[in-house]
Amino acid sequence: MGQDFEALVERHRREIQVHCYRMLGSPADAEDLTQETFLRAWKGRDGFEGRASVRTWLYRIATNACLDVLARRPRRVLPDQLGPPGEPVGPIEAADLPWLEPYPDRLLDHGATPDDTVVERETIELAYLAAVQYLPPRQRAALVLRDVLGWSAKETAALLETSVASANSALQRARATLRERLPARRTEWTVGEPTAGETALLKRFIAAYEAGDPAAVARLLHEDAQAIMPPYTLWFANRASIVQALTLSLDPASPECVGRFRMRPVYANRQPAVATYLRRPEEHDYRWFGATLLTIEDGAITAMAAFESVTAAAFGLPETWPGAHDDHMPAGKMQSGA
């Protein structure tokens, strides 16, 4: 029975983990709650009567486990939700807050089979997840169950232990909040496989950063481009501020210079991104620094979200740049971190 049960639930691990990530906004929490889901399923296996599919049963358990967590934890945030934008003014300090975190595409696709539902960008991108964080737990569950998983109002009401009317009301309130919180031009973002133009822009972005050339980066940014950098609360709301900050951090003569960068293209949350390695002044090796997700509209970068907390292992990458002393990026095509 044990081996049969394990095989039965393991085939759903990937989608349950993605579901928990949508609910919680953290890959680490999603992994923990997936394990909790399978533990609860094992303990309650004798009560499974087979009236619903194993998949539906696991989603019920996972959703309730996530609701238990959300009842006692604050929502996850991004810097632009905490206050107005600022200007580069020198050293900044990290803030210990429950930050929203990215999800590498290699984890979205790991273990997927041809029959699996594709994880569509519009329900996994950072902007969507950031908006979802504003929802109370039960509204969040209603939205994900109905609009992402396609559950019926009756099924959703049964899971939430409420009436169909109440479940529908929660869904409508959640949809209204999302309309207020999502970017107005979101429907114009690139969806699906990267275009040739998007790929070329990402290569130019990497080349400009590696050359330490803020002016070259500026040519790739929309005038109203935004930049966030968790765990720092400071964020920038236009190209001029971003370029000013880059000038301070990339110029070897600046006291704020962080060093030199090496990057490689990756993907996270179905968005183009770069994995970043930094060689600090007086150091010899390029060491893992983090990952930056990009939003591209009409051939320009409109948003940059740099995360220092994400690990190299999450992207399947080493902690130090291969050929650490080299000043040239190794050849390679765009990939998802594998």
Side-chain angles (χ1 to χ4, degrees):
M1 172 64 181
Q3 291 182 341
D4 292 342
F5 177 84
E6 183 176 355
L8 194 63
V9 298
E10 276 295 327
R11 71 182 63 172
H12 301 290
R13 176 177 292 275
R14 166 187 169 270
E15 60 179 320
I16 293 298
Q17 190 160 325
V18 172
H19 175 63
C20 292
Y21 173 67
R22 283 196 184 96
M23 290 287 293
L24 302 174
S26 163
D29 286 353
E31 184 174 356
D32 290 344
L33 265 293
T34 300
Q35 291 299 114
E36 173 67 18
T37 296
F38 288 174
L39 178 61
R40 292 188 186 188
W42 171 255
K43 291 180 177 179
R45 65 193 184 281
D46 292 338
F48 177 60
E49 300 176 353
R51 286 180 292 186
S53 68
V54 171
R55 180 176 182 269
T56 298
W57 180 55
L58 290 174
Y59 269 111
R60 290 180 183 276
I61 296 172
T63 303
N64 281 317
C66 289
L67 289 174
D68 290 344
V69 169
L70 291 171
R72 60 180 186 269
R73 291 187 187 177
R75 70 181 179 91
R76 291 189 171 271
V77 296
L78 290 175
D80 57 329
Q81 299 171 333
L82 302 176
E87 297 294 335
V89 292
I92 54 177
E93 294 186 2
D96 185 14
L97 294 172
W99 297 108
L100 182 64
E101 299 170 341
Y103 203 96
D105 278 18
R106 68 185 296 269
L107 300 182
L108 289 176
D109 298 328
H110 179 69
T113 69
D115 294 330
D116 283 343
T117 301
V118 174
V119 180
E120 298 293 351
R121 174 177 172 181
E122 56 265 30
T123 66
I124 203 70
E125 66 199 3
L126 279 180
Y128 178 87
L129 294 169
V132 164
Q133 294 297 306
Y134 282 96
L135 302 177
R138 292 169 67 82
Q139 288 186 31
R140 192 180 306 188
L143 180 84
V144 173
L145 293 172
R146 293 292 307 279
D147 287 357
V148 177
L149 299 181
W151 282 31
S152 69
K154 183 178 180 180
E155 291 172 319
T156 302
L159 187 150
L160 297 176
E161 297 181 345
T162 189
S163 66
V164 170
S166 294
N168 283 335
S169 177
L171 175 63
Q172 295 307 316
R173 293 196 300 273
R175 287 173 174 170
T177 298
L178 253 64
R179 285 193 294 269
E180 295 174 359
R181 297 291 179 179
L182 287 173
R185 299 182 62 191
R186 178 171 176 256
T187 56
E188 299 176 24
W189 294 356
T190 301
V191 177
E193 293 298 317
T195 64
E198 187 178 68
T199 301
L201 188 149
L202 191 55
K203 290 180 179 178
R204 290 169 60 198
F205 179 84
I206 290 173
Y209 246 95
E210 292 192 335
D213 188 348
V217 176
R219 289 192 287 271
L220 307 176
L221 301 177
H222 190 277
E223 182 180 0
D224 296 327
Q226 296 185 0
I228 60 173
M229 306 161 290
Y232 306 104
T233 58
L234 177 66
W235 64 283
F236 307 125
N238 55 66
R239 178 172 55 204
S241 296
I242 296 171
V243 173
Q244 183 181 349
L246 287 177
T247 300
L248 291 173
S249 62
L250 295 178
D251 183 0
S254 168
E256 309 300 332
C257 180
V258 296
R260 294 195 62 180
F261 287 99
R262 289 292 171 266
M263 296 176 168
R264 66 181 300 171
V266 292
Y267 277 87
N269 296 78
R270 295 292 189 240
Q271 296 176 232
V274 289
T276 305
Y277 292 79
L278 173 64
R279 187 180 72 185
R280 298 183 183 276
E282 309 304 325
E283 291 187 357
H284 297 289
D285 294 339
Y286 288 91
R287 303 184 185 280
W288 176 260
F289 186 70
T292 299
L293 280 63
L294 306 177
T295 301
I296 299 173
E297 299 177 16
D298 297 329
I301 295 170
T302 58
M304 301 164 56
F307 295 88
E308 293 185 18
S309 61
V310 66
T311 66
F315 286 90
L317 296 173
E319 289 293 330
T320 58
W321 184 262
H325 303 301
D326 296 338
D327 279 340
H328 299 285
M329 177 180 172
K333 63 180 181 180
M334 294 184 68
Q335 44 81 54
S336 57

